[in-house]
Amino acid sequence: MSKSEPSLPAHQVHESHDPDQVEMILSHLTDLPTLSPIAIRVIQLSSDPDADLREIAHLIEADVALSARVLRLCQTADRAARTKITTIERAVVRLGLESVRAAMLSVEIYGLLTDGSAAPDDEQSFDRTGFWRHSLAVACASELLAERHQGVLEDVRPQEAFLCGILHDLGKLALDRVLPRSFARCVELCNAHRIDITDVERRVLGIDHYTAGKRLAEHWGLPHVLQDVIWLHNQPASSLPDVPHCQLIGIVTVAHAIVRSLHIGWNGSLPTSHTIDEIAREYGLNPDRCAGLDTELFERLTTRAAHLGVESEKDQELLLSSIAEANRQLGRLNAELASRASETVSRRRVLDAIAAFHTAGVVRTSLAAAFLDVAKSASHFLGGGFFIVIWQARPGAEWIVHRFDTSARPIESRSIGRPPTGQDLAAIAHAASAGFDAVEVVRWLGEKLHDATVPNTCRFTPLLDGQGPAAMLLHDREAGEAALALPGAKSLLGAWASALAAAAQHDGARRLGEQLAEANRNLAQAQTALVDARSMARLGELASGAAHEMNNPLTVISGHAQLLATRLADHENVERARDISRAASQLSDLITSLHLFADPPEPQPARTDVRRMMLDAIEEAKERSMLSSSVRAHNNRNPPDMRTVIGDGLSTAYIDRRQIGGAVTELLVNALEARPKTGIELRACVSPSDGRLMLSVTDDGVGMSERALLHACDPFFSEKPAGRQSGLGLARARRLIDLHGGELHVQSTAGQGTKVTIALPDWRYEPGKTSKAA
């Protein structure tokens, strides 16, 4: 029959049982004393319906103690008899073969299995009196059921059913004799935790009383019907092997269920999940014939107990003791229900806390959010007090503390290094979970947190103590002691730990994504720089070849054009000759610029007068702007105001004056070509945020379109009309600034103006640098 299976304390359970150990227990059963030859012979003869009563009487007379017991039973069975029975033969006739056999087996077994086998006084938890009362009640109930089913069931005799019933739990006596201390512990666990004795036996001893009883019955040579009943009773009918005694096994099983429901004696088994009617139908018995046995059972139990001398209680007293036992069972059940109700309330509190924690943090995008949610959940669940989440991202990393007040509001988050002991947080957390009191670490934490009360009031609660990140909750001991002792509190701690671990993984994945994106950007920039370098190398080769092949013809053209201009009298032709000379000079300058752009010389930094460099750049820019007729015409009509602004304390800079000055000149030329409305500002200052030297040129001219701003630093790009400059200005300026490790930024709005800024990081003079005045 299936039974409920409450959990057994883990420290009382053997995880596995060595087959050799089980076999050793069974071998001890065969070492028990055997039944006397007379008892065995009487059992064999009495099992035969045609047995000779005289032969049985002569066998009993051969055992003086057994003879005295049988005669005493006869006197107890019929105290009203006027004629005193003094011979065994008359006693057998008076009692009947089955009663004699039952009495003889009871006396023999009780004497063999109880003599000297009692456990020590502090372990006597096996109620032998209650056990025999239960066995005798099952025997009487089996006999009544067999009588009620006469003519219905074949080969089931009431006397045989009685004998099977009284010996059905023989295995319990055997285990008590062979392993008194261990079996006493099984009984204690059974009574204390309301666990079926069979389950306790299997989990503690590795063997149950069914197997032990069968092995002992085989050793004693008891009839097969007794062996099968001892071994297979209380099993589902569908699981029984093919044996010829199924009906008798069913009789004893139903009788056991009836006696168990009446709380007669002690058996150690729990109520089955099936009703008595269901068990009866399963074994082919008539449920109606199994009902209403109570009164007759109590009367017969009292009579049979008197016959066997087991007890002297009257049927009313037996009924009252059964009722008292039922009340005790009911009291234990009520206490257990109250305990489970209290446990249910505690678990409900934990489950509500887990649900609220998950609901509040459906989406946690960072560790900081997870820390805050854990603190809020801890504040709600543990009550008042302080809360600190200690975090270590990986072994060897510094400890980070996230401190919260009693309402879970963040107070501070900072690194506190590592403890003087050099231990990682995971080791401390693991030691704390094992009950280790890390006094030095707690004192160190108090010093780092500037709170002397922490060592006296805190409690460590480990959250993560694996190989990766580690976390621990530090909270007020009094506030959290009771809450953390609630059943299921570890589940809430697990929810907190899972949230922190998931947030750490999320943060790690995000950082990894950012690092990958940065690596991709750097790779793209490196690829672009590589392409630019190769392009510059090819352009340098081209410009170098062009300068060599074209400068000589251009020099001839320019020289002859200038000579021609001096000899011509016609003013118009003179201007044309001069235009030829200027165009040749521009083309020569373009080739030279290409060469310098593609293969510039290495910077030669020197101490440079910043104001002088700025003024020189302005003069050179004015001269170059006059080469463009359109710019020259606009500037003649509206001469631009060229303003210089130099920051306080800035006088000299350690830079390559020629290259940086050339870059500034290119910016000024572009500003003049933008046709400023009011003027141009050239500013030099030191950035207060990072200390870089900032050179900026600002104009309020025509500005740039989005397309022009996007390609502003591309070589030869320009949106200006015919007659424009070469389009190398900003490209050449950026090239020169790159050589100095600086940056060039362009800001422009169409119709409003443009601002170009040069940022130089390494511009200060330091002793030891090679320098010359410039």
Side-chain angles (χ1 to χ4, degrees), residues 117-128 176 179-188 191:
S117 64
D121 292 339
D122 60 342
E123 296 188 15
Q124 287 185 352
S125 56
F126 180 35
D127 182 6
R128 292 182 178 81
D176 180 54
L179 302 169
R181 293 179 182 272
S182 298
F183 188 68
R185 185 165 67 252
C186 292
V187 175
E188 290 172 358
N191 293 334

Side-chain angles (χ1 to χ4, degrees), residues 609-627:
D609 186 326
V610 176
R611 179 180 293 276
R612 183 72 265 167
M613 181 190 71
M614 294 169 64
L615 294 176
D616 290 346
I618 290 174
E619 292 301 322
E620 184 177 353
K622 287 181 177 180
E623 291 180 6
R624 287 178 53 184
S625 65
M626 297 304 293
L627 297 177

Side-chain angles (χ1 to χ4, degrees), residues 102 105-107 109-110 113-114 126-144 158-174 183 209 226 229-230 233-234 251-260 263-269 297 300-302 304-305 308 310-311 318 322:
L105 277 175
S106 300
V107 172
I109 293 172
Y110 187 84
L113 297 183
T114 59
F126 180 35
D127 182 6
R128 292 182 178 81
T129 301
F131 168 79
W132 281 108
R133 182 183 299 169
H134 171 84
S135 299
L136 186 58
V138 173
C140 293
S142 300
E143 185 179 43
L144 287 171
Q159 296 82 358
E160 189 174 38
F162 179 88
L163 182 60
C164 291
I166 204 169
L167 295 180
H168 76 287
D169 271 347
L170 176 65
K172 292 190 177 80
L173 286 175
F183 188 68
H209 64 273
L226 287 176
V229 170
I230 292 170
H233 74 280
N234 281 351
I251 288 286
V252 175
T253 299
V254 174
H256 176 274
I258 293 173
V259 173
R260 179 66 185 80
H263 302 281
I264 301 176
W266 180 90
N267 177 256
S269 62
L297 175 58
R300 185 165 299 193
L301 176 57
T302 302
R304 285 302 181 93
L308 296 177
V310 175
E311 57 186 47
L318 184 60
S322 298

Side-chain angles (χ1 to χ4, degrees), residues 246-494:
C246 290
Q247 293 178 338
L248 193 53
I249 294 172
I251 288 286
V252 175
T253 299
V254 174
H256 176 274
I258 293 173
V259 173
R260 179 66 185 80
S261 68
L262 295 175
H263 302 281
I264 301 176
W266 180 90
N267 177 256
S269 62
L270 295 181
T272 67
S273 58
H274 302 285
T275 64
I276 296 175
D277 288 353
E278 290 174 343
I279 299 173
R281 290 191 185 94
E282 186 180 6
Y283 278 97
L285 304 181
N286 188 335
D288 295 334
R289 299 184 183 221
C290 298
L293 292 180
D294 303 9
T295 302
E296 191 174 359
L297 175 58
F298 281 117
E299 293 176 352
R300 185 165 299 193
L301 176 57
T302 302
T303 301
R304 285 302 181 93
H307 287 176
L308 296 177
V310 175
E311 57 186 47
S312 58
E313 284 185 320
K314 305 296 184 181
D315 54 348
Q316 290 293 337
E317 296 174 349
L318 184 60
L319 177 60
L320 291 176
S321 67
S322 298
I323 294 175
E325 177 62 24
N327 288 333
R328 284 193 294 272
Q329 294 281 356
L330 183 59
R332 285 196 294 268
L333 285 174
N334 287 334
E336 184 176 347
L337 287 175
S339 174
R340 292 190 177 184
S342 176
E343 181 178 341
T344 300
V345 172
S346 300
R347 291 185 181 277
R348 178 59 183 269
R349 179 185 170 188
V350 174
L351 290 175
D352 289 344
I354 294 175
F357 176 69
H358 286 304
T359 302
V362 174
V363 179
R364 294 185 178 93
T365 58
S366 66
L367 262 175
F371 290 141
L372 181 59
D373 286 345
V374 169
K376 289 180 179 178
S377 180
S379 175
H380 178 75
F381 183 73
L382 302 180
F386 62 86
F387 300 97
I388 300 173
V389 179
I390 308 176
W391 177 261
Q392 188 179 27
R394 61 188 178 280
E398 293 187 344
W399 291 17
I400 310 295
V401 294
H402 302 270
R403 194 172 187 178
F404 305 86
D405 63 12
T406 56
S407 300
R409 290 188 294 266
I411 298 177
E412 64 173 343
S413 296
R414 60 186 175 89
S415 171
I416 59 173
R418 298 181 67 192
T421 58
Q423 292 173 292
D424 287 323
L425 184 59
I428 300 295
H430 183 71
S433 64
F436 173 71
D437 188 9
V439 178
E440 294 185 11
V441 175
V442 174
R443 187 181 298 113
W444 171 76
L445 280 173
E447 295 174 356
K448 288 293 184 180
L449 298 173
H450 308 295
D451 189 345
T453 63
V454 167
N456 300 321
T457 61
C458 73
R459 171 191 171 113
F460 277 133
T461 298
L463 297 178
L464 291 173
D465 57 358
Q467 297 297 321
M472 188 153 46
L473 179 66
L474 193 65
H475 56 90
D476 186 84
R477 180 182 289 114
E478 294 182 0
E481 199 77 35
L484 290 175
L486 294 177
K490 289 185 177 180
S491 299
L492 179 58
L493 297 181

Side-chain angles (χ1 to χ4, degrees), residues 544-560 584 587-588 591-592:
S544 178
H548 179 73
E549 297 296 334
M550 298 176 65
N551 273 336
N552 289 335
L554 289 174
T555 301
V556 173
I557 294 173
S558 178
H560 284 288
L587 184 57
S588 179
I591 295 172
T592 302

